[in-house]
Amino acid sequence: FDGQALLLVVDQFEEIFRYRQKNVDEAEAFISLLLRSASEDVPIYVVITMRSDFLGNLVAFFGLPEAVNRGIYLTPRLGPDQLKSVITSPLALVGGEIDPVLVGKLVNTLEGEDELPIMQHALLRMWNRTCEAGRACIEPEDFEAVCAPHSGPVQSGGAHRVPQGQPRLSNAIDNHASEIYDSLSSQSQILARRLFLALVERRDGRDVRRPQALKQLVEEVGEPERINLLAVIDAFRGQHAGFLLPPANDLLADPTVIDISHESLFRQWHLLQRWLKEEELDASELKEWQQRAARQKEGGGWLDQYDCARAQRWLTRVNERTKPGVWARRHGGPVTYAEVE
């Protein structure tokens, strides 16, 4: 229309690099359309938002680095006064308050990346705790309950491990995810591990989201585990958790895409970080055994006593942790898991 312009906002633009790995032509066509829209003599403006650690990936698309350089804006960190406003303003909108001394403490304990997602999650948990207690003001006791170091699951005899250290905002996400995990049965905990390792992949030393259709996730764990898998997904996407998408009110069907709601989960949840490191080691060994199996077909690659023991330990770990054949196909390689086994 005359006198009007179109603003096109592409959020979480870094997802295009993952998408391009399997859909090169479609990704290239999408970027070409964006670049053409921004360069035509028509009032179309394109804004993309992405994590700064993906800037180097822009070179994957011809003409994209040059276009971004003409209008790049790095979002600065919020100052203390701005952070205080971020804390108090949303509470005021719902008739809530927060202890002024606690506000200063929250600002002073912010550190490292993910500070705003961590703050948001911690405040929501503190506010829910406040409402459950029939109060309208978040108090220091709420901060201590939500942000104390994770105490771990109940041990035999009903005793918890005593948490070490002072409460910190950085504990909020780790605590909440760990509480949900600890509440699951032992079998459901195994499914939780398989679920999250299917939804996150470590690529070029960086952990990125890997959205999956529910049907694909069921294949990862096996059809007999469908109901239990759905229960685990629901536990982590509950109304007061929100670690997984879609939201709790959305019905799940085979085509439904399951995704991690924010990267802060796999950066802040210590248990998931440990799983990712173990997965990286297991996948690395998979490639080694695949190469040895391929060489064995040609008359070489035989294992000595030490290699046999190491391979047996690897087989035991993989069979305990996942559905081996499906897991090996996800990581790829020259030979199948059955040939390696």
Side-chain angles (χ1 to χ4, degrees), residues 285-298 314 324-325 327-341:
E285 281 203 55
L286 169 65
K287 289 180 172 56
E288 177 186 349
W289 303 130
Q290 286 175 325
Q291 292 167 357
R292 298 286 285 268
R295 290 204 303 271
Q296 192 177 78
K297 291 180 180 179
E298 302 171 357
W314 175 81
W327 174 81
R329 285 198 301 272
R330 170 152 54 89
H331 287 284
V335 297
T336 66
Y337 180 81
E339 292 176 282
V340 170
E341 190 178 23

Side-chain angles (χ1 to χ4, degrees), residues 13-15 17 49-59 72 74 113-114 203-209 262-263 266-267:
F13 186 77
E14 63 270 13
E15 292 295 320
F17 305 119
T49 68
M50 61 181 290
R51 288 165 45 190
S52 59
D53 53 325
F54 279 86
L55 285 173
N57 296 66
L58 294 173
V59 297
I72 191 169
L74 296 176
E113 62 181 342
D114 296 325
R203 190 169 64 240
D204 301 326
R206 182 164 49 201
D207 297 330
V208 295
R209 297 187 307 184
H262 197 279
E263 294 88 348
F266 52 75
R267 288 195 289 263

Side-chain angles (χ1 to χ4, degrees), residues 6 40 84 97 105 172 186 291 295:
L6 173 66
E40 291 288 330
K84 290 177 181 178
E97 298 178 294
K105 187 172 185 177
S186 58
Q291 292 167 357
R295 290 204 303 271

